Amino acid sequence: MPVYLVSEIPVRDFGAETLRVGDLNSDGAPDLLFVQSVYETRAISCLTATTLSGEMLWQRGVPDPKNGRIYADLPVQVYDWNGNGRNEVLYIAQARYAERDPADGWAQQRALRYEGETVMHLLDASTGNLLQSFPLPAPADDSFLFADLKGKGRRQDFVVKDRYWNMWGISGEGSVLWQWQGSTGHFPAIADVDGDGCDEVFVGFALIDHDGTVLFSHDPGDGHQDASFIVRAPDGAWRLLFGNHGLHCLDVDGSERWFHPLAEAQHVIAGRFRDDAPAHVMAIDRGQRSGTDRLPSVLYLYDLEGREIWRRVQPAGSWAVAIVPIGWRGGALEDTLVYNRGPETHAAIYDGNGDTTDIFQMRYTSSLPGVEKQYYCTRADVWGDSRDEVIFFGSGGACVYANATPLALPTHYNNTLYPGM
């Protein structure tokens, strides 16, 4: 299929490997929020809001090209937090790590002692001006996601974690509802799996109720969760998917339905990728990048019962490979965008048959000395044609691709000049 380069943003000094998409200036069109951070500490240092064409809307903090790199997710989101019909930007500012944990290496994962407060800041998305702030527990400075923990009918509470050991439920008013200690992994998943009007939180080895009650918990051993996903099966039952050194599918009571012993199942997603079933599971096994018996990265498609449908081996050097579900063609079926497939290999879209339909090139890879030409990717319908666009971003810049193939529309049936007929 032909692709169309919608936008290129060279970014100058505010390029970042963290990007959020949302309407920032309330004009009805999506905008981009570039997020820089101090690499060793994950502390957010600069936020830059632009339009899709790269016009700067506002900037908070001091941009620095060396702060465009990341090694972890960052605590920042775009959301209509107060329900006034306009988006806000929410981000967490760290407390000072006054006494580092000696177990840490070059990266500061947590501290033995903190000074000051960890603070959630709420910004006006159109100006970057501060609207509100409230304190959080000092270690709670890693990723967060919105949830309905109090049954309000709207996700106006949130769940926040430290790097790997603790998770907190926070109310919309900023109060701590509960704390859970365990193996949090990289990022939880949420859904109302028990039908009580409140969200549960799935962290890979445990399921936490909206009030902090542990519904089940398994021993993580020496591993952690690399990816989690919650999907509802055609029979109405929920399935809990997660990846670590293998791909797991659990019932909501914690029992394991099936398991595949992969090398490192880094990304796991569910969606309808083929028309022979209402849901499938897509996973990327990153393989092994070192050792005498190196394993390649492999893309897998399974049905919900864990039966393998196909696999596609990725190019050599694709250990950082990642996948994103994408509504590339419009309609009921999704495709899979696979990126970071190696330093000299472009991103690709796979359809449900395992065929490559489109190839994309990231136009702005990192120019920082000693840094791999790494970039990240997301998708959103920024072009307004009911299909997702591909958004590449990194410390060197960003670019947006659209599907240039006309949207499939077989016919207008019983056309007439009298539309009330």
Side-chain angles (χ1 to χ4, degrees), residues 14-32:
F14 61 82
E17 292 177 356
T18 296
L19 182 80
R20 303 293 188 241
V21 181
D23 183 4
L24 300 176
N25 58 6
S26 298
D27 66 351
D31 303 298
L32 306 177

Side-chain angles (χ1 to χ4, degrees), residues 45-380:
S45 58
C46 185
L47 302 172
T48 304
T50 77
T51 64
L52 279 176
S53 61
E55 175 189 357
M56 187 182 295
L57 300 174
W58 52 265
Q59 191 170 71
R60 185 179 181 89
V62 178
D64 189 329
K66 73 175 184 293
N67 289 339
R69 302 172 59 199
I70 58 169
Y71 70 88
D73 195 27
L74 297 179
V76 59
Q77 299 287 353
V78 176
Y79 183 55
D80 181 10
W81 172 251
N82 54 23
N84 65 355
R86 298 187 301 273
N87 283 330
E88 287 77 45
V89 172
L90 293 90
Y91 79 97
I92 294 175
Q94 287 182 346
R96 193 174 80 85
Y97 285 30
E99 185 180 351
R100 289 188 56 182
D101 187 338
D104 283 345
W106 57 268
Q108 297 183 27
Q109 308 277 9
R110 59 178 171 177
L112 299 180
R113 182 172 59 87
Y114 296 87
E115 289 182 352
E117 292 181 322
T118 294
V119 179
M120 173 70 83
H121 291 304
L122 180 71
L123 307 181
D124 185 322
S126 62
T127 64
N129 293 335
L130 182 65
L131 298 175
Q132 180 186 355
S133 298
F134 53 85
L136 296 174
D141 59 15
D142 201 76
S143 55
F144 69 93
L145 76 166
F146 301 109
D148 185 356
L149 301 178
K150 300 178 72 175
K152 298 178 182 177
R154 185 174 186 271
R155 286 177 171 166
Q156 202 170 357
D157 311 307
F158 63 92
V159 174
V160 60
K161 57 186 279 293
D162 62 10
R163 192 73 184 109
Y164 289 122
W165 306 276
N166 297 274
M167 184 170 62
W168 294 263
I170 309 292
S171 74
E173 296 74 36
S175 60
V176 176
L177 300 174
W178 48 262
Q179 179 183 358
W180 175 78
Q181 290 185 317
S183 179
T184 63
H186 288 302
F187 202 82
I190 63 169
D192 179 13
V193 300
D194 59 8
D196 65 353
C198 301
D199 286 323
E200 283 67 55
V201 186
F202 175 52
V203 294
F205 297 94
L207 182 66
I208 315 301
D209 208 350
H210 66 278
D211 61 0
T213 301
V214 179
L215 299 176
F216 72 77
S217 180
H218 297 306
D219 181 4
D222 59 355
H224 64 246
Q225 167 258 103
D226 286 317
S228 61
F229 203 99
I230 301 178
V231 60
R232 198 166 196 172
D235 62 3
W238 293 90
R239 304 285 187 264
L240 311 178
L241 303 164
F242 79 98
N244 59 348
H245 296 296
L247 176 61
H248 308 256
C249 178
L250 311 180
D251 286 323
V252 294
D253 63 359
S255 58
E256 190 161 75
R257 295 185 65 87
W258 50 266
F259 167 71
H260 290 291
L262 308 179
E264 186 173 358
Q266 184 71 11
H267 288 228
V268 178
I269 57 179
R272 191 178 185 195
F273 300 102
R274 298 161 58 96
D275 59 10
D276 56 2
H280 308 85
V281 177
M282 194 78 72
I284 191 74
D285 179 6
R286 296 205 303 183
Q288 295 172 330
R289 63 173 172 175
S290 60
T292 55
D293 298 321
R294 298 185 183 184
L295 297 175
S297 299
V298 182
L299 177 68
Y300 291 92
L301 181 69
Y302 302 94
D303 67 16
L304 272 186
E305 299 307 315
R307 293 181 289 261
E308 182 181 324
I309 299 174
W310 50 255
R311 67 177 70 182
R312 297 293 182 268
V313 177
Q314 298 301 298
S318 59
W319 184 81
V321 67
I323 58 176
V324 176
I326 183 169
W328 181 242
R329 291 174 289 169
L333 298 183
E334 290 185 292
D335 296 311
T336 304
L337 176 63
V338 187
Y339 65 99
N340 271 346
R341 302 169 68 229
E344 306 300 327
T345 307
H346 298 325
I349 285 183
Y350 285 82
D351 64 17
N353 295 319
D355 296 326
T356 302
T357 63
D358 291 283
I359 300 290
F360 305 86
Q361 181 180 4
M362 170 52 164
R363 304 291 287 263
Y364 298 99
T365 52
S366 174
S367 59
L368 296 175
V371 178
E372 296 179 0
K373 294 188 179 300
Q374 180 173 294
Y375 60 91
Y376 291 83
C377 184
T378 188
R379 81 282 186 254

